[in-house]
DNA sequence: TATTGTTATACTCTATAACTATA
DNA sequence: TATAGTTATAGAGTATAACAATA
């Protein structure tokens, strides 16, 4: 497929899109592609060995990390899903014997979600693989470059957080470039 | 939520997971979070102004970029989806009046997908906003750092491509650390 | 009144398998 | 035989709205 080591953007890009930045768009494209490959690599093990989706495994990992049963709404907050979605996710995990619902001892509105031993085994096997995959993926990058990368990513992330709270920007007009195909179409058809 | 500028991993991490790398996992965590924020920022405009999902807008953008009608299987290849998923995507877009199906003039197995004027208007308005959002997000990063970032991402991506073709690794045993909660549970309950 | 969780419903996206028609 | 596309079906994920039980 697109097996170039870096994704680059054509030179006339900023002429076509006033307000755009060629280098910024190259950052965005390469960042998205690398992160997608990262996520796919990390999700591979739980999917192929335990048939667990990303959300499903994340639910187990959250419970394992908490080291104690959690009420459903707490897991929902950490996963960033609605309570109705959480109910359905927990239903799937319960059917597969990976979590159990228990009544909360003092607040009878709540249910406490507890991992089964099988779920704990899955998490214990999956986390080392995921971390090993990550270590391998970053293996060719020096420690100094890792630190630089983390810092630059943090700079971008902070800006994105601010942007998310602002209203949508007003579009600037695009100056469409003439592509060979468009020129072909524009030419009188004989 | 997790509004720290950088995500960091505890110092005892490598003791718990032999074969893992603390700095690599920090790279992975920060990369995933920043990329997710990027994708969410870029998908915001087409979703909020035209109610278009990422795949739906991508389909329109591919057609716009090609500058000529494309057969369905070509779009499916570029989107990396199965032909059946493409059919359903195109059905949704057709219902919304954004694409039209036309018979291929010479190969009667094929259909040519063409953008409507409304779809072209949407793409023309969306692309400048997306590129402006990207330029704003990366605005605080110097040109030199952008280039370094792209290079480092390419290094990681190349490794991930190789890893994807290999069989799954064998998990190394985890050395569970004692968390406060676990210690509490382990202690005799009085 | 607010919180917790469930049910019902719907829509998107993706996937597989069986199928038609065309090359 | 291989290719292009559709239909049928299924499942995961997310969303909203109405609801019951409890605080």
């Amino acid at each position: 497929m697109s097996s170039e080591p870096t994704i680059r953007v054509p030179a006339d890009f900023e002429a076509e899109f006033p307000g755009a930045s060629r280098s910024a768009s190259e950052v965005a494209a390469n960042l998205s592609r690398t992160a997608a490959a990262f996520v796919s690599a990390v999700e591979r093990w739980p999917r192929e060995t335990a048939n667990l989706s990303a959300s499903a495994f994340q639910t187990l990992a959250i419970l394992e990390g908490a080291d104690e049963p959690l009420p459903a709404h707490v897991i929902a907050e950490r996963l960033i899903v609605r309570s109705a979605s959480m109910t359905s996710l927990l239903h799937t995990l319960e059917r597969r014997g990976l979590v159990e619902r228990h009544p909360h001892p003092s607040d009878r509105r709540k249910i406490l979600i507890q991992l089964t031993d099988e779920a704990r085994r899955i998490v214990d096997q999956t986390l080392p693989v995921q971390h090993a995959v990550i270590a391998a993926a970053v293996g060719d990058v020096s420690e100094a470059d890792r630190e630089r990368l983390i810092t630059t990513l943090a700079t971008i992330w902070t800006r994105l957080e601010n942007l998310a709270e602002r209203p949508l920007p007003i579009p600037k007009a695009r100056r469409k470039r003439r592509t060979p195909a468009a020129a072909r179409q524009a030419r009188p058809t004989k």
Side-chain angles (χ1 to χ4, degrees), chain A:
Chain A
M1 312 260 142
S2 74
S3 50
E4 291 302 312
T6 59
I7 304 173
R8 295 297 176 174
V9 154
D12 60 354
F13 175 77
E14 292 178 14
E16 181 174 3
F17 297 104
S21 153
R22 187 186 180 187
S23 58
S25 289
E26 289 180 344
V27 164
N30 286 281
L31 182 55
S32 304
R33 182 179 67 165
T34 305
F38 234 129
V39 168
S40 152
V42 162
E43 289 177 357
R44 189 179 162 198
W45 175 276
R47 194 187 63 250
E48 293 190 9
T49 68
N51 193 28
L52 284 174
S53 71
S55 298
F57 177 73
Q58 259 304 101
T59 301
L60 302 185
I62 287 168
L63 282 163
E64 204 275 341
D67 237 339
E68 59 187 357
L70 296 177
H73 75 276
V74 172
I75 309 174
E77 271 163 27
R78 300 197 190 169
L79 260 187
I80 316 179
V81 297
R82 301 304 177 96
S83 68
S85 307
M86 198 68 242
T87 299
S88 124
L89 241 179
L90 290 174
H91 182 69
T92 305
L93 289 171
E94 198 176 25
R95 256 193 300 126
R96 295 205 33 198
L98 298 175
V99 303
E100 289 167 0
R101 287 166 208 250
H102 296 288
H104 191 286
S106 61
D107 187 338
R108 292 171 58 197
R109 293 173 306 180
K110 297 181 183 170
I111 55 162
L112 285 175
I113 311 297
Q114 189 163 33
L115 289 183
T116 64
D117 288 344
E118 189 193 345
R120 248 181 285 273
R121 263 196 307 279
I122 291 174
V123 174
D124 269 357
Q125 270 220 328
T126 302
L127 292 181
V129 173
Q130 292 185 326
H131 293 308
V133 165
I134 287 168
V138 185
D140 290 335
V141 179
S142 73
E143 284 294 329
D145 280 343
R146 295 181 192 196
E147 203 49 48
R148 261 193 285 277
L149 175 56
I150 291 168
T151 305
T152 308
L153 290 171
T155 304
I156 296 171
W157 182 78
T158 304
R159 270 282 206 130
L160 284 167
E161 282 292 280
N162 290 336
L163 285 174
E165 288 158 13
R166 301 185 179 285
L168 288 164
I170 288 122
K172 289 192 188 179
R174 173 178 180 191
R175 297 192 196 123
K176 233 166 182 173
R177 74 195 139 127
R178 264 304 171 75
T179 66
R184 210 180 311 127
Q185 285 193 332
R187 208 180 300 141
T189 336
K190 222 278 199 67

